[in-house]
Each structure stands twice: as structure tokens, then as C-alpha cells.
Amino acid sequence: MIMRLTGSVGVGGHNIRPDVIMVQQLLIQRGQRPGAADGICGPRTIGAIKTFQQTFLRTPDGLVGVNGPTWHRLNGAGAGAGGGGGGPLGPVGSGLGSLPGSQAPVPPKDANMTTLVPRPPSNTFNIGLKAVSNSMMKSLFGMPRDTFSQDCQPMNNAALKRNVVTDAVGSFKATGLRPAVMSLKQVYGEIASSYPQLAPRIGTAGMLCCRHQRRSQTAISNHSWGTAIDLTINGSLDKYGDGKVQFGLTLIAPIFNRHGWYWGAAFGTEDGMHFEASVDLAHKIKGQLT
Amino acid sequence: MTSAAAGLACIIGTARAMACAALLLAWPLVVADTASADDGVKTRPANCRLSAPSSWRGLQVEWIGPCTNGAANGAGVAIARAAGQPPERFYGTVTAGQMTEGVFDIPDGYRPARFEKGEPVTLDDRSQIIAAFRVAASAARDVSSRFKAARNTQAARDYAEAAERLENQMD
């Protein structure tokens, strides 16, 4: 879905309610505080627009034009949040230059996509979605294997295993339960339409991996069922638990949410790179297994 | 990591050489300058060689870790600095002056990597990524222990916390 404004928003703008809601949601995702996304363009929304504009405009005017620079920044098509950036290789060189392990040619990095922004308020994402629990996953799918350790081990539950596929999901490959991977392909398709500059920079740190949760001897990682995935942007993993998330993740999270994927940024300890099937999506996946 | 950085500055600062003598004995240290070397490697002081990846060319690179036969060798942390920019760190293992496996800690996140011909290769296999973070966490703990032995408690704590974060990254 490509996001477009039908009219300008802000000072002297048309302020059509759906447009205002869209701008408010994007402002929230970029760490601004326009208040609730209620479609009313009041002082807080205008203040948030101006604050956001201060990162790239010398004279903030509080107006988001239909095709203006503020909209492009908000919508991720321009330089994104934070303004500055650090050139194609990031601030210093970013460890990896040309991503030598990549198979396909990739476009120049957009360092702004990995600019860190505060974790968005919890009432702005995962709306209507419920995170799965270990007991629910065990009950719904069964145990993916007999024993677990801290290492990734193969799934040996035959009923689940026959549904495991490895398939290309746009710019990367994913291994997981077939319906989950198919859903990811749909998500990626929408990301590619909405954010063509971002999509090729998305990679993965893995999907299926049967192991215990970090530092646990009993709880099983949700990756064990092949219904969770960790993502990278520009080859970087968002740091676990720092309360900040990469800007690009805030752009794609709403798309994941629409397809029933729960964003790990909402966990008690923020896990911004993590997306997993919500309760509803898990049931849907279960219903599609053969 | 600010305090740890201060500790490192203490180690390499000539004005505090006397105060830091004990630390130098405790931690074989490399300051590698990749800017002016044709082969990408030049040590300063010339006592412990470390070959940094090409993306760090031109940066001042420090190594805190063991040194064998004139080359960095073992688990430790390499720190790349550029004026006006936050430092980048590599936590991991080095063999005979060549980085082998670990994690880059850069401003926008972590990059696990293994090295081929001196250059990092992006990992997309989850098992390998988990292994790289394990190696990195262990390296950070080693560095913490070295600072602790030298009674630099703040730096020891900073690196212990870095180890904790690396350990917890992958679920």
C-alpha cells in the first residue's frame, strides 16, 4: 500500500481527517509526540510537525504538503528521520562495506533507515494483536522436537516438519512453516511497493531455529516453530533491549501488523528486530498445515 | 562505554605512561593505523600487528587483547575511531593478526561476521549468527576480566555489560 496525502496537513492545511491521522501516526513512529492519532490537527500535532521539521528545515513552517519535503521525510521516501546521516557506508564505515556475502546486487545504503528512534508508544502498534505464549504454541502445534539446548537444532516433529519450506522472501530467504513464509512474502510485497528504497536492504538473522529461549532451561524460543523471524536493515541487527529501534522498522511494522505479525518492540524488553505470528495468525497458520 | 573509553585513553596516552604502565603489562595493546600502509597493516607502536577490514582504512584502530609473536592473537576488542564520530567496535577473535569471527558493534546496531581473506562476510545463517554473538560475548568478558585484574572497575563493568548485551541479543 502506497501512502499518499489527499490534502496538506498542519498550519493552513486542508487537514482532512484521514490525512491528519496518517501524519500523526508517522510522527509517532518517528519519535514525535503529536498526542493521540485522532485526526484532529491541534497545537500538539502542529508542534510535533515543527519539531520534526527542525531536523532538516532551517525554518519549520508546521505544514506537511502533499508532495513536499516534510511528507517525503515522514513517509521514508526522502532522507528520513534525523536529517544528517553519514553517507553511504554509515557514520564511520560500519564494519561491512559492500556486504560481500550478499548474492544479489544491492542499492546504496540509506543510512537513515537504520537511524535509531525511540520505541514508538505501545498504543500505536500491534493494535488488536496478541502475543503467543509458550503453552499456547505447544498446545496448538505440539513440540517441534524432543530436546532443546541453546543451539539451533533441526525440527523432528514429523507433522510439522513436512510443512517446513525454504523460500525467497524478496531480498532474503526464509525457512519456516509454509503458511508463515507465504505470509512473509505478502508482507514483503507490500513493503516493496510502499518503500522501494528500503525493501532491498532488508535481510534476516533467521527464522526457524529449535532452541531454548535465551538463558532459559525450560522456555522454548518461538523461532522453534518457524513462525517468528528476526530482520536486519543494511545488514545491521537492531540492538535488543535498548529502548530504541531502527527507523526502517517503524515503517514496516504497520505492514507486518496488518498481516497478523506481532512486533517484538512491544515486549517487556524491547526486541525491535523480531516479528512473530500473533495468536490469530498462529491459528490461521495451523489451519493451513497439511 | 564512555568510562571504558576513558580507561583505554589512559592506556595509550603518553602523558599518563607512568600511571598506565601496569595496564600495559596487563594488556598487550595494538594501535594499528591502516591509513598509510600499503598492505592495510601498520602497527604503532610496532609491537603487535592487527589487520583491520578495509572499511576501517584510514581510522585509528586499537586492540585490547592478547598478542603473540608480534600479532594480535586471541579474543579481545578492536576499536575504530574517527574524529567527530562515535567509535565502532569489533568483539571477537583474531588469529595471527587477522580477524576471524565476532560482532561489529556500530551506532545503528550489531553486525555479526566471519572473515574471509581479511574481509568480513555477512552471516545469514542463524546458527552462525548465534555462534558469532557467543564468541563476541566471550571476548567482551575477557576484556572485562583484564580491566578487573588491573582494578579499573568502571571499564570492567562496562565491558561486562557489553558482554551481557551481546549474550542476550539472539533468542
Side-chain angles (χ1 to χ4, degrees):
Chain A
M1 186 190 75
I2 299 172
M3 291 195 287
R4 288 195 179 92
L5 288 178
T6 55
S8 54
V9 172
V11 178
H14 295 94
N15 294 325
I16 301 162
R17 192 163 183 271
D19 290 337
V20 176
I21 290 174
M22 209 177 335
V23 167
Q24 288 170 327
Q25 288 176 335
L26 288 169
L27 285 167
I28 290 167
Q29 287 170 13
R30 278 138 194 77
Q32 303 300 326
R33 297 177 182 274
D38 56 4
I40 299 168
C41 189
R44 292 182 69 181
T45 299
I46 288 170
I49 293 170
K50 286 183 176 177
T51 303
F52 179 71
Q53 288 176 323
Q54 284 172 358
T55 63
F56 58 93
L57 286 183
R58 192 167 295 174
T59 311
D61 59 6
L63 179 67
V64 183
V66 172
N67 243 330
T70 305
W71 172 247
H72 283 287
R73 297 265 174 169
L74 274 174
N75 198 22
L89 293 182
V92 173
S94 303
L96 302 180
S98 56
L99 296 177
S102 303
Q103 297 300 312
V106 292
K109 286 183 186 178
D110 182 350
N112 295 288
M113 286 299 166
T114 49
T115 296
L116 298 180
V117 297
R119 170 171 56 175
S122 59
N123 62 354
T124 62
F125 61 96
N126 290 340
I127 295 166
L129 300 179
K130 191 175 175 189
V132 298
S133 66
N134 244 220
S135 58
M136 180 230 143
M137 291 297 279
K138 290 176 188 172
S139 166
L140 187 63
F141 292 104
M143 293 292 278
R145 62 173 284 114
D146 304 325
T147 59
F148 295 85
S149 69
Q150 283 294 325
D151 295 317
C152 288
Q153 297 183 85
M155 182 182 273
N156 61 13
N157 176 326
L160 287 175
K161 193 175 177 181
R162 67 170 174 262
N163 287 278
V164 171
V165 297
T166 299
D167 205 350
V169 178
S171 53
F172 58 90
K173 284 187 175 179
T175 298
L177 290 181
R178 183 182 293 105
V181 174
M182 295 304 109
S183 175
L184 284 178
K185 288 164 75 91
Q186 292 178 348
V187 170
Y188 188 89
E190 281 194 29
I191 294 171
S193 294
S194 299
Y195 306 107
Q197 293 176 322
L198 169 60
R201 303 304 314 183
I202 298 174
T204 183
M207 190 176 184
L208 175 62
C209 168
C210 298
R211 71 186 291 236
H212 278 135
Q213 286 180 11
R214 54 173 75 84
R215 302 201 167 197
S216 173
Q217 302 287 325
T218 53
I220 299 167
S221 164
N222 281 336
H223 288 275
S224 303
W225 286 276
T227 56
I229 189 165
D230 290 334
L231 298 181
T232 62
I233 299 178
N234 290 343
S236 292
L237 286 71
D238 185 81
K239 291 180 181 176
Y240 173 75
D242 66 355
K244 298 173 187 170
V245 295
Q246 295 168 338
F247 172 66
L249 293 170
T250 69
L251 298 179
I252 65 177
I255 299 175
F256 270 92
N257 284 171
R258 281 200 295 277
H259 288 263
W261 291 83
Y262 191 92
W263 188 21
F267 292 157
T269 304
E270 167 267 317
D271 194 359
M273 69 174 182
H274 180 89
F275 293 87
E276 64 180 34
S278 65
V279 169
D280 285 349
L281 181 56
H283 279 96
K284 191 175 164 187
I285 289 169
K286 168 67 176 173
Q288 294 174 351
L289 297 182
T290 57
Chain B
M1 198 52 65
T2 306
S3 302
L8 294 172
C10 173
I11 296 168
I12 63 175
T14 53
R16 299 185 183 180
M18 291 293 286
C20 298
L23 299 182
L24 283 168
L25 288 173
W27 310 308
L29 171 72
V30 169
V31 178
D33 183 354
T34 59
S36 57
D38 293 334
D39 63 356
V41 179
K42 180 183 176 185
T43 56
R44 189 183 64 211
N47 63 349
C48 194
R49 177 172 46 85
L50 172 66
S51 179
S54 58
S55 59
W56 279 4
R57 196 173 297 271
L59 307 180
Q60 179 178 310
V61 180
E62 303 159 24
W63 167 249
I64 303 173
C67 189
T68 306
N69 297 327
N73 195 56
V77 59
I79 307 168
R81 300 182 191 282
Q85 302 284 1
E88 296 187 358
R89 289 180 171 80
F90 169 78
Y91 294 96
T93 50
V94 175
T95 302
Q98 299 280 340
M99 292 177 175
T100 51
E101 183 181 14
V103 172
F104 285 93
D105 181 352
I106 58 179
D108 63 4
Y110 289 127
R111 293 193 185 191
R114 285 184 179 175
F115 287 75
E116 292 179 5
K117 297 176 182 173
E119 289 299 323
V121 175
T122 302
L123 303 178
D124 55 14
D125 178 87
R126 192 169 180 86
S127 293
Q128 291 183 346
I129 291 170
I130 289 170
F133 273 98
R134 210 169 273 159
V135 166
S138 177
R141 274 193 295 272
D142 283 0
V143 174
S144 174
S145 296
R146 289 169 183 271
F147 277 107
K148 188 176 181 183
R151 298 183 182 178
N152 185 337
T153 53
Q154 183 59 55
R157 189 178 306 125
D158 288 345
Y159 278 102
E161 289 173 1
E164 183 94 358
R165 289 192 293 271
L166 290 160
E167 188 80 45
N168 287 335
Q169 178 66 24
M170 298 299 294
D171 190 16

